[in-house]
Structure formats: structure tokens, C-alpha cells
Amino acid sequence: MLSSRFLMGRHREDLSEIELTALEQAADSVTTYGAREELVHHGTEINHSMLLVEGFVCRYMDGLEGDRQLVALHVPGDFVDLHGFPLRRLDHDIASLIEVKVANYPHPVLSKLIIDHPNLGRMLWFSTLLDAAMHREWIFRLGRLGASGRVAHFFAEIGRRLQMVGLSDGCNFPLPLHQSDLAEACGITAVHANRVLRELRERNIVTFKGGHVNVTDIRALHSIAEFDDGYLYPSAH
Amino acid sequence: MLSSRFLMGRHREDLSEIELTALEQAADSVTTYGAREELVHHGTEINHSMLLVEGFVCRYMDGLEGDRQLVALHVPGDFVDLHGFPLRRLDHDIASLIEVKVANYPHPVLSKLIIDHPNLGRMLWFSTLLDAAMHREWIFRLGRLGASGRVAHFFAEIGRRLQMVGLSDGCNFPLPLHQSDLAEACGITAVHANRVLRELRERNIVTFKGGHVNVTDIRALHSIAEFDDGYLYPSAH
DNA sequence: CGTATGATTGAAGGGTCTCAAAATAGGTGG
DNA sequence: CCACCTATTTTGAGACCCTTCAATCATACG
């Protein structure tokens, strides 16, 4: 099922069988993209939105001197550009990190879906606000944490999110990024990201190698990241 | 009219007279808060959302050591916690900066409003995504710009937003913040914010004194801020 | 086996922070 | 209207974190 991970661990249970079926059937096609492909270019009008079924996708903005800032990272079950439905065009770019599979939801179909199923409409809205909540936490991370806190927080968040969709235990998970990507997510240089990773490794907190994260001391990780998963709005609390 | 500034300059023209009237009548009361009052505490379940009619409001998150990070600043015409409608509880705090007037929209009324007026519903959704777009730009600002760029960008954004709701020409506007608040918005210390303000003043770019911003060289301001207003989704482009 | 890409390390410089003090502004009571 | 008190702004000096630039090492791939 294409949408089986949508809102998994995030109040998916608030959706009825009828609504889940309607959502599943609203996808008109599935597309596969290769690694490091641009899925959406900023400014372009879009007429469909994509649900990530498999793989990892990131959103980013470019500065004047070729410097790049990641503003979001998406895991399976996330809509990557549902905000493009009300916004019509995006203010940033979207690209795949590895080979990905996405389900396409035409905007006219979404319009009808929302009118026919108001509660589903509100949950779609809710899912875009989860992105906003993560944006806020990223603002906090960049504004208040040092380099190691930022990296630790990033790992903690992705681990928890993968756990919510059943793809990790929260400590062991794939993360197909280069160190330079991690740096672009954390607002630091690639060189310093490397030094931070060494520090975290030597303190036996977390290792990141070959696109795979292994958390060995999650208490310490959460502590230096000042991490609390409340902003992810998990179902249980 | 309470909602006369809602989406002003941001495709408000996509709303019909009927929809505008319905929105205006959905407010069940108006509340006045004093300066520096907490309007919403994170974690609390909320059952209404507030449209800012007059004054300035900020949203923020607190770190472990009493350090605070602003994640949003609101001007008249903004819903300050419409995201609380789908989210039910907030992940951050909201407080007034000066005396403010807000219009209250009970969530049950919003539910009905959206079912009766799907297009209005989509514009309400749209307005929460504008916040998300600003969040992303703040991430970029914190991740990629130095201290003076961050401060310049903050001034540029608020000026442009006040201009869109008819409260400024973009160069001259009230901004009731202390330098320490500005610092908390830009992820720097209050001491350094002071030095940055001196630098911007001495370069004849912008002055900030007594809660008032005066931009003297908007080209230079936008340049060092790498500012482009596209992410604010203005009506005209 | 050679080449390209990414990871790792070193050294030096710069931007921002911390700590501390002084100056200014705003508000209050005499 | 002045004197006082408090909050805020301003300035200085030193330390630290991170960046920059450069080189070396490891790894994957043709």
C-alpha cells in the first residue's frame, strides 16, 4: 500500500478505514527517481503533490555563493510537497538523496478528497503543520545549539521519525547523507562536521559511517541535543 | 473590521465577499492583552485560535539553560496560532510584545466554516503555510548568514510584511523589541546584537532605536541579507 | 591499477561569546 | 523639576568555537 506509512505513529488512528481507502485511491501514479535528482524546482507551478513511499528526500535553499542549507529531510510516509497544494509554487528545491519511489496526488483530486472527507482534509493539513513544527525545532537547533548539539539533534530526530514509521528502533538506521550534506543540514562546514562526528564517536555516543547511524548512548545523545520528541506530535504520550 | 488585514497583500483577493464576511463573523470575541504577557503555553490543549488585530506577538522556545529562541514574530493580520486548530496543542509558547488586540475564533466554528466554504478553508491552510515558509527562511538565515546578515534579514522581512498589511513603506516601521529580543530572534547574544547594530548604523544602512526601525539604504540591507521576498508569497510578482 | 570522490587531519585566522564595567534612558517619588 | 532607581544599551578585553585553506588518506569504480 502506497500510503500505509502516512501519519504512522502520528495519530493515523484518527483516520477511518473509508478515509484511508479514499487517500490510497487518490494517487494516480507512482514515479521512481534516481539518486540526487531534483524533483521540484523552486518557483515552478506544481499541479500534484508527492507522498514518499521509499527512500530519502531533502528540501533545501541555496545562498548567493553556492552555499546550501537543508530545510527538511523526508522519510517514507512523508508528503514531500503537500504544502505546494495551497501554495501552488514552492520557495525551495526538492531532491532525492538515493533512489526513491513517490506516489503522485493530483491537486484537483486532493480538492475533491478534502470536500468529500473533511476530517481527512484536516489530517492532511495537520501533516503539513508537522513539517512546520520540525522547521521550528530546526530554528531552535541552529539558533541555540553548538555544532555537536546540532548534529546530535539531527540524528535524534531522524532516528525517532524512522522509528515512528517502523523503519528503525531509533538507534540504528540508514541515513544516506555525505558528511557535507550533514553539514548543510546543521549550518556548519563539512570539515567541522567531520570533527564533530569524530568527537561523538570517541565519546561513544554515536557513529555515522557509510550512510548508516548507530546510536550507542541515546541518553547522552538526547542530552547534548536537548532533544524532546514532543514537537513530533507522536500518537502516544 | 477585525479581519481586514488577514492575507492582505497575500492573495486575499482570492477570497470572495461571502467568504470574507463568513470569516469576519466567525470571531466570537476580542481580547486585549498587556505587554509581555503569555498568550499560549506550550503543551496546553487549545480550543480557539487568535487573529492578531493590533500590536506585535512573538513565538519562542526555551532551551535548558534559560536561553530563548524566537521562532516567529507576528504583525497585525496574522493568525498567531491557527496551526493549533489541526495540531490541538502547541510545541512552543506565544507572548505579546506590547499591548495587543486579538480576535478569537473557536475551533468548532472554524470546523463548520471550512466545510461550508472549502476555498476559505484552503486559504486558512495557506496562511499557516506562509508561517512555514518564513520558518524555512529563518532556518536559512541562521544556518547560512553571519550576524549582520541575520539582523539585516530580520529587519528586511518585518519591513516587507508590515508593508504588505499597509503599516509601513518597508523602510520605516515600529518594531517593539529590546536588543536582547532581536538577539534571540537571530541566534546571537545581546552584546553582539548591539555591535552589529552599531556596524549597520555606521554604514548608514539601518538604525534601530526606541523600538523603531529606519532603513536608510534598502539595497544594501537586502544585499547583505540575501533577501528576496518570494518566500512571503506576495500577491503581485 | 589509475582516477575521482569523499573522509580526515593540521595550522592559522576570524567571528562570536563570555565576563565585566560603564554609560544612558526611563520611570517613580519626593 | 530634580534625585534616585532600575532596566537597557554600550564598550572593552580575552577566550573559544568554528572557518578557511591546504594537504593527506581512504574508498569505490572504471
Side-chain angles (χ1 to χ4, degrees):
Chain A
M1 226 176 86
L2 297 173
S3 61
S4 59
R5 287 200 167 90
F6 175 64
L7 289 182
M8 191 171 167
R10 321 279 270 278
H11 305 281
R12 180 182 173 86
E13 60 275 15
D14 288 3
L15 289 169
S16 69
E17 282 304 320
I18 291 171
E19 289 161 344
L20 289 172
T21 304
L23 178 67
E24 179 70 18
Q25 293 172 349
D28 79 332
S29 58
V30 174
T31 311
T32 300
Y33 292 92
R36 304 272 164 177
E37 263 191 72
E38 187 180 76
L39 309 198
V40 181
H41 191 71
H42 72 274
T44 313
E45 292 242 347
I46 59 178
N47 50 34
H48 73 280
S49 289
M50 298 179 278
L51 174 67
L52 184 57
V53 179
E54 260 180 53
F56 289 81
V57 160
C58 70
R59 301 199 255 149
Y60 56 90
M61 307 176 71
D62 287 315
L64 290 180
E65 290 127 25
D67 50 330
R68 174 166 296 185
Q69 175 65 44
L70 293 204
V71 295
L73 187 137
H74 288 295
V75 303
D78 290 351
F79 266 101
V80 298
D81 61 349
L82 183 56
H83 53 308
F85 172 53
L87 288 175
R88 290 196 178 89
R89 63 179 177 81
L90 299 190
D91 44 90
H92 55 272
D93 299 324
I94 304 184
S96 59
L97 290 165
I98 51 174
E99 181 173 303
V100 300
K101 197 162 99 180
V102 301
N104 301 305
Y105 292 79
H107 288 175
V109 176
L110 288 179
S111 296
K112 185 168 186 312
L113 196 66
I114 286 168
I115 292 172
D116 293 345
H117 305 280
N119 180 60
L120 174 57
R122 197 175 322 180
M123 291 307 276
L124 288 170
W125 186 355
F126 173 78
S127 79
T128 63
L129 296 182
L130 288 179
D131 284 344
M134 291 186 266
H135 288 338
R136 286 190 286 276
E137 192 76 10
W138 285 38
I139 291 172
F140 173 80
R141 178 162 87 208
L142 293 173
R144 293 297 140 194
L145 302 182
S148 26
R150 295 183 198 177
V151 171
H153 190 287
F154 184 73
F155 286 154
E157 175 182 306
I158 305 302
R160 185 71 183 87
R161 288 169 60 193
L162 285 170
Q163 183 181 30
M164 290 196 288
V165 293
L167 293 173
S168 166
D169 60 358
C171 291
N172 214 286
F173 52 90
L175 186 61
L177 299 176
H178 299 157
Q179 290 187 2
S180 54
D181 301 318
L182 181 67
E184 287 170 355
C186 295
I188 57 179
T189 60
V191 169
H192 199 58
N194 180 275
R195 292 190 226 272
V196 167
L197 287 172
R198 179 177 55 181
E199 180 217 332
L200 293 174
R201 191 191 324 125
E202 288 172 350
R203 289 172 65 187
N204 293 314
I205 294 173
V206 59
T207 60
F208 176 58
K209 195 164 180 60
H212 198 92
V213 174
N214 198 322
V215 180
T216 46
D217 187 346
I218 198 157
R219 296 285 285 280
L221 187 79
H222 287 180
S223 171
I224 60 176
E226 302 192 17
F227 183 78
D228 180 292
D229 71 357
Y231 74 97
L232 294 174
Y233 292 83
S235 293
H237 58 280
Chain B
M1 225 176 87
L2 297 173
S3 60
S4 60
R5 289 200 166 91
F6 175 64
L7 289 183
M8 191 173 168
R10 321 279 271 276
H11 306 281
R12 179 181 173 88
E13 60 274 15
D14 289 3
L15 290 168
S16 69
E17 281 304 320
I18 292 171
E19 290 162 343
L20 289 172
T21 304
L23 176 68
E24 179 68 19
Q25 292 173 350
D28 79 332
S29 59
V30 174
T31 310
T32 300
Y33 293 92
R36 304 272 163 177
E37 263 191 74
E38 187 180 76
L39 309 198
V40 181
H41 191 71
H42 71 275
T44 313
E45 291 241 347
I46 59 178
N47 50 34
H48 72 280
S49 290
M50 299 179 278
L51 174 67
L52 184 57
V53 179
E54 259 181 55
F56 289 81
V57 161
C58 69
R59 301 199 255 148
Y60 56 90
M61 307 176 72
D62 287 315
L64 290 179
E65 292 126 25
D67 49 331
R68 174 166 295 186
Q69 175 65 44
L70 292 205
V71 296
L73 186 137
H74 289 294
V75 303
D78 291 351
F79 267 101
V80 298
D81 60 350
L82 183 56
H83 53 308
F85 172 53
L87 289 175
R88 290 197 178 87
R89 63 179 178 78
L90 300 190
D91 45 90
H92 55 272
D93 299 323
I94 304 183
S96 60
L97 289 165
I98 51 174
E99 182 173 303
V100 301
K101 197 163 98 178
V102 301
N104 302 304
Y105 292 78
H107 288 175
V109 176
L110 288 179
S111 296
K112 184 168 185 311
L113 197 65
I114 286 168
I115 292 172
D116 293 345
H117 306 279
N119 181 58
L120 174 57
R122 196 176 320 180
M123 292 307 276
L124 289 169
W125 187 355
F126 173 78
S127 78
T128 64
L129 297 182
L130 289 179
D131 284 346
M134 289 187 267
H135 288 339
R136 286 190 286 277
E137 192 76 10
W138 285 39
I139 291 173
F140 174 80
R141 179 162 87 209
L142 293 172
R144 293 296 141 197
L145 301 183
S148 24
R150 295 184 198 177
V151 171
H153 190 287
F154 184 72
F155 286 155
E157 175 182 306
I158 305 302
R160 185 71 182 89
R161 287 168 60 193
L162 285 169
Q163 184 181 28
M164 289 195 288
V165 294
L167 292 174
S168 166
D169 61 358
C171 291
N172 214 286
F173 53 91
L175 186 61
L177 300 175
H178 298 157
Q179 291 187 2
S180 54
D181 301 319
L182 182 66
E184 288 169 355
C186 296
I188 58 179
T189 60
V191 170
H192 199 59
N194 180 274
R195 292 191 228 271
V196 167
L197 287 173
R198 178 178 53 180
E199 180 216 333
L200 293 174
R201 191 190 324 123
E202 289 173 349
R203 287 172 66 188
N204 293 313
I205 294 173
V206 59
T207 60
F208 176 57
K209 193 161 183 62
H212 197 92
V213 175
N214 197 322
V215 180
T216 46
D217 186 346
I218 198 158
R219 296 286 282 281
L221 187 80
H222 287 179
S223 169
I224 61 177
E226 302 192 16
F227 182 79
D228 179 292
D229 71 357
Y231 74 97
L232 295 173
Y233 292 82
S235 292
H237 58 282

